[in-house]
């Protein structure tokens, strides 16, 4: 029987979000209903509210979540009721050309639940990233549920669902940071901070955090940065070169998503070094670089989508490291809030006061 639950929606572009009652249908074939325990407030949710993703209002916000599988539909074998799961927005299909070539992390046909959750009047909701987890319960494709160790705190585990995984993966998976490497991370919010932590986990010898906010730089030090650069007062390219013997960093992670900071990343890398773009640009942004510089410096220019992660591989491994005390995922949880405090969390995000606000249900 369909269930009525409380959830946070965005009705119109720029309008404050609101808590309302939605209808969650019973899971159909290949689907699961998950009782949400915690969901991080990610900048992507704010993008949805501002119309920066598309205009398919009303949106059911929230996607960085963990919870308990309540029920599953026909044919579901990945999970069963009672499983503790982290939700992901890369439910691989297993059939596309990337999957068949053994590269499921690049799946071209990731899938979501086929049924729609609705308002009480029947208006269909667009769930953020196919998840919609600022809700007491949500309907997802079963492949979006990644089973992890239930000993993990939900408020921490859920962060792997988006921002923390994006940053960790940008360093480890996309950037291939290795032992002894020098790394620079430009932009030290939640994603950039995770890239710092991932670089430390991978054994980087020098990790240079770059931001315009001294508070974020101090946090980056706690997450593993060996050096910090305030780019409001210091040329970051020159500073990074100076800190790397005049050469530039082996890997530079750009976690802002702006042409200006991308150029800084490009020129701050060593010859044959790697630039990883994990910051999300807006549609109107363009980039201009001398083609001779692109050719002459060699190396690699990469984009990192979801940290090039494979949830079934990466989520359980990272949760295990967290439980062993080797990965301080809890450092990203600045505050826990109730469902009706999401709008205030967006304000705090604008002010740069938090790495993550986490809704706990």
């Amino acid at each position: 029987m369909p269930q009525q639950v409380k959830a946070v929606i965005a009705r119109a572009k720029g309008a404050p979000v609101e808590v309302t009652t939605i209808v969650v249908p019973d899971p159909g074939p290949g689907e699961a209903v998950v009782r949400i325990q915690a969901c991080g407030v990610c900048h992507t949710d704010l993008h949805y509210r501002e119309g920066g993703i598309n205009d398919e209002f009303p949106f059911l916000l929230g996607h960085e979540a963990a919870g308990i599988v309540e029920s599953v539909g026909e044919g579901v074998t990945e999970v069963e009721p009672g499983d503790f799961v982290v939700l992901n927005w890369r439910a691989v299909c297993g059939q596309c050309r990337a999957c068949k070539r053994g590269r499921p992390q690049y799946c071209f046909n990731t899938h979501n639940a086929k049924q729609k959750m609705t308002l009480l009047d029947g208006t269909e909701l667009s769930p953020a990233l196919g998840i919609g987890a600022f809700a007491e319960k949500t309907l997802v494709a079963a492949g979006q549920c990644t089973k992890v160790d239930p000993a993990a705190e939900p408020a921490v585990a859920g962060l792997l669902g988006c921002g923390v995984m994006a940053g960790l993966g940008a360093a480890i998976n996309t950037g291939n940071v290795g032992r002894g490497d020098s790394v620079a991370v430009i932009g030290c919010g939640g994603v950039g901070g995770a890239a710092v932590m991932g670089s430390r986990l991978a054994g980087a010898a020098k990790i240079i955090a770059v931001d315009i906010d001294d508070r974020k730089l101090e946090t980056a030090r706690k997450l593993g940065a060996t050096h910090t650069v305030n780019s409001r007062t210091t040329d970051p390219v020159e500073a990074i070169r100076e800190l790397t013997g005049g050469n530039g960093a082996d890997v530079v992670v750009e976690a802002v998503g702006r042409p200006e900071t991308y150029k800084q990343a490009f020129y701050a890398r060593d010859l044959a070094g790697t630039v990883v773009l994990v910051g999300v640009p807006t549609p109107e942004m363009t980039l201009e670089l001398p083609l001779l510089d692109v050719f002459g410096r060699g190396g690699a220019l990469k984009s990192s989508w979801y940290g090039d992660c494979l949830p079934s591989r990466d989520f359980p491994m990272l949760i295990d490291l967290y439980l062993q005390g080797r990965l301080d995922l809890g450092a990203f949880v600045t505050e826990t809030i109730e469902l009706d405090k999401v709008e205030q969390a967006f304000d705090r995000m604008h002010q740069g006061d938090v790495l993550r606000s986490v809704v706990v249900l």
Side-chain angles (χ1 to χ4, degrees), residues 10 51 64 89 105 129 133 161 174 219 257 281 317 327 335 343 354:
E64 198 176 68
W89 43 273
Q105 67 269 31
L129 293 177
T174 315
T219 299
M317 176 267 292
L327 188 66
E335 63 174 359
E343 186 67 31
V354 295

Side-chain angles (χ1 to χ4, degrees), residues 54-202:
N54 57 54
D55 60 356
E56 297 173 5
F57 291 93
F59 291 112
L60 172 57
L61 300 181
H63 60 279
E64 198 176 68
I68 303 294
V69 175
E70 181 179 87
S71 58
V72 299
E74 181 183 349
V76 172
T77 58
E78 301 98 321
V79 292
E80 61 185 15
D83 283 346
F84 177 61
V85 297
V86 176
L87 299 183
N88 73 78
W89 43 273
R90 176 170 277 172
V92 300
C93 72
Q95 300 297 319
C96 71
R97 60 190 186 278
C99 288
K100 288 183 175 180
R101 293 174 69 186
R103 301 172 182 173
Q105 67 269 31
Y106 301 126
C107 178
F108 302 118
N109 191 31
T110 58
H111 51 282
N112 303 316
K114 296 190 182 306
Q115 297 184 87
K116 289 289 189 179
M117 292 176 279
T118 68
L119 298 176
L120 289 176
D121 64 5
T123 301
E124 293 186 347
L125 294 164
S126 300
L129 293 177
I131 293 176
F134 286 150
E136 294 169 328
K137 298 178 184 181
T138 192
L139 177 76
V140 294
Q144 293 179 278
C145 300
T146 305
K147 186 177 178 179
V148 298
D149 193 324
E153 287 290 331
V156 172
L159 299 185
L160 292 178
C162 190
V164 170
M165 184 69 251
L168 285 166
I172 297 172
N173 295 334
T174 315
N176 294 314
V177 173
R179 288 174 292 178
D181 281 351
S182 59
V183 180
V185 178
I186 300 178
C188 294
V191 173
V196 167
M197 182 177 282
S199 298
R200 180 178 67 175
L201 184 67

Side-chain angles (χ1 to χ4, degrees), residues 95-311:
Q95 300 297 319
C96 71
R97 60 190 186 278
C99 288
K100 288 183 175 180
R101 293 174 69 186
R103 301 172 182 173
Q105 67 269 31
Y106 301 126
C107 178
F108 302 118
N109 191 31
T110 58
H111 51 282
N112 303 316
K114 296 190 182 306
Q115 297 184 87
K116 289 289 189 179
M117 292 176 279
T118 68
L119 298 176
L120 289 176
D121 64 5
T123 301
E124 293 186 347
L125 294 164
S126 300
L129 293 177
I131 293 176
F134 286 150
E136 294 169 328
K137 298 178 184 181
T138 192
L139 177 76
V140 294
Q144 293 179 278
C145 300
T146 305
K147 186 177 178 179
V148 298
D149 193 324
E153 287 290 331
V156 172
L159 299 185
L160 292 178
C162 190
V164 170
M165 184 69 251
L168 285 166
I172 297 172
N173 295 334
T174 315
N176 294 314
V177 173
R179 288 174 292 178
D181 281 351
S182 59
V183 180
V185 178
I186 300 178
C188 294
V191 173
V196 167
M197 182 177 282
S199 298
R200 180 178 67 175
L201 184 67
K206 187 169 290 184
I207 305 169
I208 306 163
V210 180
D211 204 281
I212 60 173
D213 189 331
D214 285 331
R215 296 172 299 174
K216 292 183 179 179
L217 292 173
E218 179 59 31
T219 299
R221 277 198 178 273
K222 295 176 182 177
L223 296 174
T226 59
H227 299 77
T228 59
V229 175
N230 188 318
S231 55
R232 189 185 295 277
T233 57
T234 304
D235 183 332
V237 175
E238 292 304 316
I240 292 168
R241 286 178 175 170
E242 183 177 341
L243 289 166
T244 53
N247 300 315
D250 296 309
V251 179
V252 184
V253 178
E254 200 279 52
V256 181
R258 294 193 59 84
E260 304 92 328
T261 44
Y262 187 89
K263 287 183 179 180
Q264 291 171 352
F266 179 83
Y267 287 110
R269 68 179 176 137
D270 196 357
L271 291 173
T274 299
V275 175
V276 177
L277 174 65
V278 67
V280 182
T282 55
E284 73 278 2
M285 291 180 180
T286 59
L287 176 69
E288 183 175 337
L289 284 170
L291 192 57
L292 183 61
D293 286 357
V294 176
F295 172 77
R297 299 182 66 83
L301 308 178
K302 297 182 175 183
S303 296
S304 184
W305 192 64
Y306 207 0
D308 285 339
C309 81
L310 183 60

Side-chain angles (χ1 to χ4, degrees), residues 18-79:
E18 61 182 88
V19 178
T20 190
T21 300
I22 68 168
V23 178
V24 179
D26 290 337
E31 297 175 342
V33 170
V34 177
R35 175 171 57 83
I36 301 300
Q37 293 179 303
C39 184
V41 182
C42 177
H43 207 277
T44 301
D45 293 304
L46 183 58
H47 277 318
Y48 272 104
R49 193 201 72 175
E50 296 301 305
I53 306 295
N54 57 54
D55 60 356
E56 297 173 5
F57 291 93
F59 291 112
L60 172 57
L61 300 181
H63 60 279
E64 198 176 68
I68 303 294
V69 175
E70 181 179 87
S71 58
V72 299
E74 181 183 349
V76 172
T77 58
E78 301 98 321
V79 292

